[in-house]
Structures are given as C-alpha cells and as structure tokens.
Amino acid sequence: MVKYKIVPTSITSSVLPDVLTDDYLTTNMSNHLKKENATFDFFIQFYVSEETTPIENAGMEWKLEVSPFIKVAEIEIPKQTFTTKERYDLAEQLSFSPANALQSHKPIGGINRARIEIYKALSKYRHLRNNQTMIEPIASEFDSIL
C-alpha cells in the first residue's frame, strides 16, 4: 500500500490567470503542450502501520521520517494538440473512475470508496442527460493485458 505524489519538472510552468475561468486548466495545458512536452516525477510513500501511516485516517500526515517519498518513475506527456472537436466528443463519452485499475492496484480507504461511488453517479447522470453512450475501461481488461 502506498500514497503517491506527482511533481512537475517541466522547464516551463504555467501561470495562474488573474481570473479563474471554467476552462483555465485546459487552456494552460493546451498552451504548454503546443510548445513542449510536460514532464513530472512520480513518487511513492510506503504504508508502514496503522499507527504511523493509517489508511482510514486521511487527517493524519504520513511523516517523512517514518516513510520517505521515493522517486520511482518519470512521466512525459508529449507535445501535442488535444483541443480538437474529436477529442472533446470522445471526452463526453468517457467515464473516469479510480476503480479502473489492476485488481492489485485497486484504491483503498474511505475517501476512495466515496470517490468511486460519486464518480459513478455523476457519470451516469451526465451520460443520461446528454444521451451519450458511456465508454469506460473495465478493470478485468487491464488484468488480461498483463
């Protein structure tokens, strides 16, 4: 069991606009990826015990002295244009859930259990409202790939 964090490492970083519009994140990401790749370091922090690194108590910090973050990977998102009609149309059909993972990587803890149910309800509502077919990967499909 681990916590993870992703730290941006790109040379260029986006600037927060004075006014936060509904699409400022998309705009910043689009502007960045038109010019260059986006890079990140991926860190994990190992579970030690319920006393020092509890799963169900999200209010308790996992101290670095008990479980330091360890860099395990680098992520690179290539330069691209993703703000196209086809991508927006696909995004309207996609459904995200933290539960879409290998069984061995299934999210744990009360916050993740709540997220899974909330994401499921919101996705169902959005797809019914928009009369869209939902596209969602099935976790067992991930297991069969490996």
Side-chain angles (χ1 to χ4, degrees), residues 2 7 20 44 58 61 130-131 142:
V2 299
V7 178
L20 300 182
I44 59 171
E61 180 183 358
N130 295 343
N131 197 26
F142 297 120

Side-chain angles (χ1 to χ4, degrees), residues 25-35 80 82-83:
L25 290 173
T26 301
T27 300
N28 275 358
M29 187 167 54
S30 175
N31 290 338
H32 183 112
L33 290 175
K34 282 179 187 173
K35 299 177 204 158
Q80 60 187 284
F82 68 88
T83 51

Side-chain angles (χ1 to χ4, degrees), residues 39-84:
T39 57
F40 306 85
D41 284 341
F42 187 90
F43 295 85
I44 59 171
Q45 187 180 25
F46 284 101
Y47 167 85
V48 175
S49 71
E50 276 304 308
E51 292 74 37
T52 59
T53 54
I55 301 298
E56 295 295 344
N57 182 356
M60 185 172 166
E61 180 183 358
W62 288 19
K63 301 286 185 189
L64 295 176
E65 308 81 55
V66 174
S67 180
F69 276 105
I70 302 164
K71 180 180 169 182
V72 295
E74 295 175 358
I75 302 168
E76 183 173 338
I77 301 172
K79 180 178 162 181
Q80 60 187 284
T81 299
F82 68 88
T83 51
T84 65

Side-chain angles (χ1 to χ4, degrees), residues 3 11 15 18 23-24 26 43 47 64 96 104 113 115 127 135 140 142 145-146:
K3 280 189 176 183
I11 295 168
V15 178
D18 293 333
D23 68 343
Y24 81 93
T26 301
F43 295 85
Y47 167 85
L64 295 176
F96 171 79
S104 58
R113 286 190 297 276
R115 286 178 65 217
H127 286 89
I135 301 172
S140 61
F142 297 120
I145 292 170
L146 302 175

Side-chain angles (χ1 to χ4, degrees), residues 8 15 19 33 39 46 52 60-62 69 90 92-93 95 100 103 105-106 108 115 118 126 129 131 135-136 145:
V15 178
V19 177
L33 290 175
T39 57
F46 284 101
T52 59
M60 185 172 166
E61 180 183 358
W62 288 19
F69 276 105
L90 177 61
E92 283 302 312
Q93 287 185 280
S95 178
N100 291 340
Q103 188 60 35
H105 297 170
K106 186 174 180 175
I108 58 174
R115 286 178 65 217
I118 291 166
R126 182 171 57 92
R129 180 197 66 199
N131 197 26
I135 301 172
E136 182 174 31
I145 292 170

